[in-house]
Amino acid sequence: MSGSARAFCGAGDTTRGFCRLLPSVLRQTVWRGNTMDRSVALTFDDGPHPIYTAQILDILRRHRTPATFFLLGRHVEQHPHLVRQMLANAHTVGNHSYGHRHLILAPQKLIRQEMVETSAAIERITGQKPRFFRPPRGLAGWKTLSLASQLGMRTVLWSLSTGDWKQPGTDHIVRRVLDRARNGTIVLLHDAKYDDPGEDRSQTVRALPEIIRGLRSRGYRLVTLPELILPQQAQEKKEPTL
Ligand SMILES: [Zn+2]
């Protein structure tokens, strides 16, 4: 727990319930993996998309590269064959809400519904409940964090945003990743747009082979999220609990 959270949690009885839960919820939230490992995780948000996700899966297969996809429940129901393909190719699948609503000020019932419906859609196809949740736009309040934790999911953000959704050019996306990647980096990419199936993601697709080759030439292993953060979980067990 940070110093400010520690100070707040010493404030009095009214904070006791919140503060009892805070360490466990924060432990469920991940921005990066173990900085001792020369590993990086590529993550793709907002899919699956019938064109771009299919192309990305093909590139990952050809380069024998595992990745993690944070899926929208609505898109999962539209393109279940792509989710099956992700599983068949040993990628990790996470929950990115059902419809990409703003959750930070949403009522608890709606947040739960967005999470539960997406996990159920993924489980119907893969037979497994997702273990990771990424809030839309990376914005999560206390309700979102604690609900994800209650539903057995770790909240995962990122440590390197490519800005690919702004379509800054393929070279820009590649350079940004190769210049900024460090041990344990979680890279944010997009294989779709949450509200526009016509949005162009071809820059992301074209950047991907260069990103993979560039990271490997710098000695990085490309891994899925569970592989990236498992050493971190082992470390956390050694930390004192408050
Ligand atoms: Zn998103």
Side-chain angles (χ1 to χ4, degrees), residues 47-58:
H49 185 283
I51 297 170
Y52 303 117
T53 306
Q55 292 175 346
I56 285 167
L57 284 170
D58 190 45

Side-chain angles (χ1 to χ4, degrees), residues 45-46 72 96 100 135-137 190 194:
D45 282 16
D46 298 349
L72 292 180
H96 191 40
H100 216 274
R137 302 171 182 84
H190 292 83
Y194 57 90

